[in-house]
Amino acid sequence: MTATTETPQAASAGAPPARAADTEAVDPALRETARALHTPVVDWFATHARDLPWRRPEAGAWGVMVSEFMLQQTPVSRVLPVYEEWMKRWPRPADLAAEAPGEAVRAWGRLGYPRRALRLHGAAKAIAERHGGEVPVEHAQLLALPGVGEYTAAAVVSFAYGKRHAVLDTNVRRVFARAVNGKQYPPNATTAAERKLARALLPEDDETASRWAAATMELGALVCTARNPQCGQCPIAARCAWQLAGAPAHQGPARRTQAYAGTDRQVRGRLLAVLRAAKEPAPQADLDRVWHEPVQRARALDGLVADGLVEPLDGKRYRLPLT
């Protein structure tokens, strides 16, 4: 998500010379396609972008980083209340780094995938220790932080610091699949071809590239959705390769869906809920009550311990991690 909402400048018709770092040759037709998409998408974003707290200037790079960790596989509506409380409690990386990692897990609540909380805590400690408490500007420095992968590093560089970098999440991949490749859905996993396409579609200047990254993400979230896309509201519907091809149905491998009910993920969530609510280490009996099947319950608990989300203590007691 983007950190600012100022009015963007449209990409100029005459692109500046390619940067020294831009070594990939770009097909001239694709370059023209990119230029035709930039202005309508960026202009649409200027009018339709949601007012989200991590997009406000006061959020800063830390606010952007926190939001990106939380938004992975989690909708905005669930993230908003947790994000607001998190930033009140830990407005700077050093504030979070000073707490036990278990407090990050506790504050994570029911966002899901709680290892993200541990990774964010680890990143905060590294920022406090290596970077004077300031989220680094350079992409390579961000990638060196615990728990920060290619997407998160690119998002922070682009959204927080306004730098030119391809930001490729599920929403952006879907927009590019439809608008450029004429496919209803992108592949199940991000491919090298998608990364190359994302780089080729980037506007040349930092400011417009940053706005483009945020705008394509928002377009995928609000209009070019996975189900029931609102093509009548899309600023590039007339140029969309998928629409021009007659909106053909998906022909690739079946799209993956994630079950929850009855899975180890559900059991892990119930076990963590007990520990988040407990002020003292919880006895085994308290954990046994939340799931009826003992083998699955034990497997889920062992997994939480192995992931560093739970610390076992003497006397069959458990707590959120202190170290």
Side-chain angles (χ1 to χ4, degrees):
M1 292 296 162
T2 185
T4 59
T5 54
E6 290 86 354
T7 303
Q9 295 179 352
S12 60
R19 304 177 184 202
D22 296 339
T23 58
E24 291 179 322
V26 178
D27 181 270
L30 180 57
R31 180 66 72 189
E32 288 305 312
T33 296
R35 290 175 182 167
L37 297 177
H38 292 160
T39 297
V41 171
V42 171
D43 286 351
W44 172 87
F45 182 68
T47 303
H48 295 87
R50 290 169 289 181
D51 179 20
L52 299 172
W54 45 86
R55 288 180 172 163
R56 299 168 192 161
E58 60 269 22
W62 173 238
V64 172
M65 176 175 280
V66 170
S67 74
E68 290 300 338
F69 270 80
M70 291 184 173
L71 288 164
Q72 294 167 21
Q73 299 179 285
T74 309
V76 167
S77 59
R78 289 182 59 197
V79 166
L80 278 169
V82 180
Y83 174 89
E84 296 277 15
E85 289 301 315
W86 188 285
M87 294 303 294
K88 287 178 184 176
R89 183 173 179 181
W90 299 308
R92 301 169 303 169
D95 299 320
L96 176 60
E99 296 264 17
E103 288 305 302
V105 176
R106 194 188 311 277
W108 200 256
R110 300 185 65 185
L111 283 183
Y113 303 100
R115 278 179 289 182
R116 292 179 293 168
L118 289 182
R119 291 168 183 157
L120 184 51
H121 183 273
K125 287 192 68 175
I127 291 168
E129 294 168 359
R130 304 176 199 167
H131 301 285
E134 299 295 329
V135 176
V137 177
E138 297 301 324
H139 184 263
Q141 292 179 319
L142 286 161
L143 273 178
L145 296 174
V148 174
E150 172 61 32
Y151 166 77
T152 302
V156 173
V157 166
S158 181
F159 301 154
Y161 294 119
K163 302 294 184 179
R164 183 178 184 269
H165 215 289
V167 181
L168 202 56
D169 81 336
T170 300
N171 290 316
V172 177
R173 293 175 62 224
R174 187 168 55 251
V175 170
F176 291 170
R178 291 173 179 170
V180 181
N181 292 330
K183 306 291 186 182
Q184 185 179 17
Y185 299 117
N188 281 334
T190 306
T191 65
E194 287 181 286
R195 295 187 179 96
K196 183 176 181 179
L197 175 62
R199 293 191 294 269
L201 293 175
L202 270 178
E204 294 291 343
D205 66 281
D206 281 342
E207 181 179 358
T208 309
S210 175
R211 301 293 293 175
W212 165 256
T216 50
M217 189 177 296
E218 192 80 331
L219 187 65
L222 299 183
V223 175
C224 193
T225 55
R227 299 179 183 178
N228 304 315
Q230 305 299 308
C231 298
Q233 301 175 23
C234 180
I236 54 173
R239 301 178 176 90
C240 175
W242 184 55
Q243 282 293 306
L244 292 173
H250 179 62
Q251 297 295 322
R255 298 175 67 225
R256 295 177 300 194
T257 57
Q258 292 184 328
Y260 182 74
T263 64
D264 284 6
R265 278 186 59 215
Q266 184 180 22
V267 185
R268 285 163 61 102
R270 292 193 177 183
L271 295 172
L272 278 179
V274 172
L275 300 180
R276 286 199 307 269
K279 296 181 179 179
E280 300 292 335
Q284 181 77 54
D286 288 355
L287 300 178
D288 290 347
R289 295 189 188 99
V290 303
W291 198 255
H292 63 282
E293 209 289 303
V295 174
Q296 187 180 26
R297 186 178 65 236
R299 183 173 65 243
L301 182 58
D302 287 344
L304 291 171
V305 172
D307 289 341
L309 290 161
V310 171
E311 285 187 359
L313 302 174
D314 294 338
K316 293 188 176 180
R317 296 175 303 139
Y318 299 87
R319 70 183 179 194
L320 297 178
L322 292 182
T323 57

